[in-house]
Every structure is written in structure tokens, then in C-alpha cells.
């Protein structure tokens, strides 16, 4: 599905198929009742890991593990907290909840795990169906937010979960501040320059990245900045290049821990790269042909689950 003028489609971790049913989050009676329903599905979370069945021998599509009926009730009894995720309108109106089991040690969870493992979604997301990867990412993002917002940022008092897990309210009645799930916008941009062979794009390498992985530039949006402002500033800071013609490409949920990636392409006004050594280890211009042959130099672009890869692949094909 194409939204507006975005150019990228089917981006990994996007496309949750549940109806988030925000109106039901405040219906305490309905929440309690659905947790007891046989059809309700529980997604177990453990320390920001999702329970996934991944068979590396058969290379079958990794499956998220969810529970219903008595198994679900058993998980709810040991969960630290439970977040209502939404309703599967296409499959019997089943309600979905994420149950956080982080207080348990991993061996205690072996009866739940069976042959599955608690994995970082990034290990399996690119191999899963897109709706499954999106649902696991949604559950993980909510679990991370609860973990990092147990105390009020205004007065320091403990916060309490409300509205099915989509709000935390300060327990200090003199404060009472309401906290909502956070998503930090970050821009990620391919800088291109016109020229022979269809021009070139700028790729860079950071020392904290896996060896040989080169990607496009990215950075957080700062207060008081539009997305376009952030693209222009980040490119200038990281590689000393002025850009123009900033075009939106698409977005990707990236709750690792709490970002939304907003993808752009921008055109360079100058070509001499001057890297900020605090940000980057190296950067350079690459033609489409050079990117296709990166492996000959032991280099590669980012994994297929990332919007960075989507943007680079789109640029290669868009000539
Ligand atoms: Zn407070």
C-alpha cells in the first residue's frame, strides 16, 4: 500500500493488521472480560525479546508464538503487566495482549518456550511475514516504554499503568502527570549527486557497525526542527555537504528502543566529503555499479529489514 507520495512499499516492521481499537482501552470491564476469553491471544515478552519459533535447519519462515485458553491464563498469572494491543477483525475478533514476563529468569520460562526462543526481533524480522514482524515489533515497543517510564519525569514518583497499558499516570496526586508511549523521530537520508553512470550516492561506515557494513546517513530530529531541517543539518554535520531537493520516501517503526525512521533522498550541492570523526569512520561516493559489486571488497549494505536498505535498493532501481 502506498501512502500519499511515499515511494517505498512494504517496509519491514510496518503494517500491523490489528485494529488498535483505542476506544476500548478505557473500558476496564471489557478489558477484564476479554482477558478471560478462550479466543484471546497472549504474546509473551521477556526483556525486550519476542518468543519466536525459528528453525535454522529447515529455514522455514519464523513464527511468532502466541497463547490462548488455559496456557494464556497461566502466562497472565505470572506476568508483570499486560498491554492491550488490539483486535484481529479478520479472525474471529480475537483480542491480542502482550504479557511482560521480564521479572522471571529464563530457565523459569522453559515450559512456555518449548522449542521456541526469546529472540531480538531483528534476528528474525526480515524472515517473518510482514504482519507478524510488525505485531512483534509493536509488542516490543510497548514493553520497552513501560520499562523506561516507571517513574514520572516531572516529580520522580512511581507511575501506574492505565488504559490497557497505553498510558502511565503519576501516582503523586499533587502531580498526576499523564505519560504516553514515546516515539522519537529520526531522519535517514540517501544523498545523491548527478554524474556519469547515473550519478552516485553517499555511503558511510561507523566504527560501532558490523565490519564491512556501509549505509546512508541518519540522525535524530532536534526540538524546533522540521524533518527537512534535520536532513540538511545532519548531512552537513556528518560529511560537510550541503543538500537541496529533500524528498520524502517513507517511514519505518524502529522501536529499538523508541524511534520512528523517516526516509528521504536529497541532492548534494557540493561533492567534497569532510567527515565528522566523532560520528563516522569513513564515507564515500558509490555508483550503482559499485554498490552492486560491494561484496568483491568485503563490504555490504545494511540488512534487508532496515529502511536504509529499502532506500538504497530503491535508488539502485530508480534510474
Ligand atoms: Zn509526577
Amino acid at each position: 500500500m502506498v501512502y500519499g507520495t511515499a515511494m517505498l512499499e512494504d517496509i519491514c516492521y510496518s503494517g500491523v493488521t490489528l485494529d488498535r481499537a483505542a476506544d476500548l482501552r478505557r473500558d476496564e470491564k471489557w478489558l477484564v472480560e476479554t482477558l478471560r476469553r478462550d479466543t484471546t491471544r497472549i504474546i509473551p515478552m521477556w526483556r525486550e525479546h519476542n518468543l519466536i519459533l525459528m528453525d535454522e535447519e529447515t529455514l522455514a519462515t519464523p513464527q511468532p508464538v502466541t497463547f490462548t485458553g488455559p496456557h494464556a491464563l497461566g502466562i497472565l498469572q505470572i506476568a508483570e503487566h499486560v498491554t492491550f494491543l488490539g483486535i484481529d477483525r479478520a479472525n474471529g475478533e480475537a483480542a491480542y495482549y502482550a504479557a511482560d514476563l521480564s521479572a522471571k529468569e529464563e530457565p523459569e520460562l522453559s515450559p512456555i518456550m518449548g522449542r521456541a526462543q526469546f529472540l531480538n526481533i531483528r534476528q528474525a524480522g526480515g524472515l517473518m511475514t510482514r504482519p507478524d514482524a510488525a505485531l512483534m515489533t509493536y509488542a516490543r515497543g510497548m514493553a520497552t516504554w513501560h520499562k523506561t517510564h516507571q517513574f514520572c519525569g516531572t516529580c520522580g514518583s512511581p507511575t501506574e499503568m492505565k488504559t490497557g497499558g497505553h498510558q502511565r499516570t503519576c501516582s503523586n496526586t499533587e502531580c498526576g502527570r499523564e505519560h504516553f508511549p514515546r516515539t522519537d523521530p529520526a531522519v535517514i537520508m540517501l544523498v545523491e549527486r548527478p554524474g556519469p553512470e547515473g550519478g552516485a550516492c553517499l555511503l558511510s561506515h561507523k566504527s560501532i557497525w558490523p565490519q564491512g557494513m556501509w549505509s546512508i546517513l541518519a540522525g535524530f530530529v532536534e526540538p524546533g526542527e522540521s524533518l527537512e531541517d534535520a536532513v540538511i543539518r545532519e548531512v552537513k554535520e556528518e560529511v560537510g555537504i550541503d543538500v537541496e531537493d529533500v524528498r520524502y520516501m517513507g517511514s519505518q517503526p524502529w522501536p529499538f528502543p523508541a524511534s520512528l525512521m523517516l526516509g528521504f533522498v536529497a541532492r548534494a550541492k557540493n561533492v567534497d566529503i569532510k567527515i565528522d570523526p566523532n560520528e563516522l569512520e569513513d564515507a564515500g561516493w558509490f555508483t550503482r555499479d559499485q554498490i552492486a559489486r560491494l561484496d568483491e571488497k568485503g563490504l555490504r549494505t545494511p540488512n534487508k529489514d532496515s529502511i536504509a536498505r529499502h532506500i538504497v535498493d530503491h535508488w539502485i532501481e530508480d534510474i
Side-chain angles (χ1 to χ4, degrees):
M1 185 182 292
V2 178
Y3 298 91
T5 57
M7 303 297 290
L8 302 176
E9 294 180 43
D10 298 338
I11 297 177
C12 192
Y13 305 125
S14 71
V16 171
T17 52
L18 296 185
D19 174 356
R20 295 185 182 227
D23 54 324
L24 291 171
R25 293 171 188 166
R26 292 183 180 278
D27 190 338
E28 281 292 330
K29 196 167 156 235
W30 184 89
L31 293 169
V32 170
E33 189 264 319
T34 47
L35 277 172
R36 294 199 206 102
R37 271 188 208 165
D38 275 354
T39 54
T40 293
R41 290 212 165 264
I42 301 298
I43 297 173
M45 292 296 311
W46 181 73
R47 300 181 191 179
E48 299 174 18
H49 288 55
N50 296 93
L51 189 57
I52 295 169
L53 188 60
M54 187 155 92
D55 190 333
E56 287 175 20
E57 283 181 22
T58 64
L59 295 176
T61 304
Q63 301 289 325
V65 180
T66 62
F67 294 89
T68 56
H71 295 296
L73 292 176
I75 289 171
L76 292 174
Q77 280 170 0
I78 61 169
E80 250 182 288
H81 54 73
V82 175
T83 299
F84 171 60
L85 298 178
I87 298 174
D88 188 352
R89 299 291 186 198
N91 289 296
E93 304 280 309
Y96 276 68
Y97 288 82
D100 195 328
L101 309 176
S102 297
K104 301 289 175 191
E105 294 302 321
E106 196 169 15
E108 297 177 73
L109 300 176
S110 56
I112 294 168
M113 292 162 65
R115 289 191 301 117
Q117 295 169 276
F118 279 102
L119 297 175
N120 178 343
I121 185 63
R122 289 218 59 205
Q123 286 175 255
L127 304 171
M128 298 172 89
T129 70
R130 196 164 71 94
D132 282 349
L135 180 58
M136 295 295 100
T137 304
Y138 173 24
R140 172 172 165 171
M142 293 303 297
T144 305
W145 176 67
H146 284 298
K147 181 182 158 201
T148 54
H149 288 75
Q150 295 177 40
F151 297 93
C152 176
T154 301
C155 76
S157 301
T159 57
E160 295 167 351
M161 217 168 108
K162 303 277 181 183
T163 62
H166 291 263
Q167 186 179 330
R168 297 188 73 92
T169 302
C170 179
S171 59
N172 173 2
T173 51
E174 289 182 13
C175 173
R177 185 175 163 194
E178 295 176 336
H179 302 267
F180 297 94
R182 309 307 310 171
T183 297
D184 301 329
V187 289
I188 180 158
M189 46 276 171
L190 181 145
V191 178
E192 61 179 354
R193 70 178 232 201
E197 298 179 60
C201 83
L202 195 149
L203 297 179
S204 66
H205 178 74
K206 289 189 179 193
S207 56
I208 57 167
W209 287 348
Q211 195 176 5
M213 191 186 94
W214 283 59
S215 186
I216 54 179
L217 304 175
F220 284 106
V221 181
E222 296 191 349
E225 222 175 22
S226 70
L227 299 175
E228 294 82 357
D229 290 341
V231 168
I232 292 166
R233 174 185 54 77
E234 279 287 342
V235 176
K236 182 74 175 175
E237 281 177 6
E238 295 194 13
V239 291
I241 297 218
D242 294 304
V243 294
E244 60 187 355
D245 191 19
V246 178
R247 285 154 283 154
Y248 176 65
M249 298 296 289
S251 64
Q252 180 179 44
W254 198 254
F256 317 127
S259 292
L260 172 69
M261 305 302 292
L262 295 134
F264 293 87
V265 170
R267 191 169 60 238
K269 292 160 76 174
N270 54 308
V271 298
D272 291 332
I273 295 169
K274 183 166 180 272
I275 64 165
D276 173 358
N278 295 314
E279 293 272 356
L280 301 175
E281 190 172 280
D282 202 358
W285 293 105
F286 293 77
T287 64
R288 288 170 172 84
D289 186 50
Q290 285 170 326
I291 294 174
R293 290 188 287 107
L294 278 181
D295 58 338
E296 292 172 13
K297 294 181 177 175
L299 307 180
R300 66 176 178 87
T301 51
N303 291 341
K304 284 191 170 175
D305 67 336
S306 65
I307 191 172
R309 176 66 173 269
H310 281 270
I311 293 172
V312 172
D313 287 352
H314 183 274
W315 182 79
I316 289 170
E317 290 161 16
D318 183 32
I319 188 166

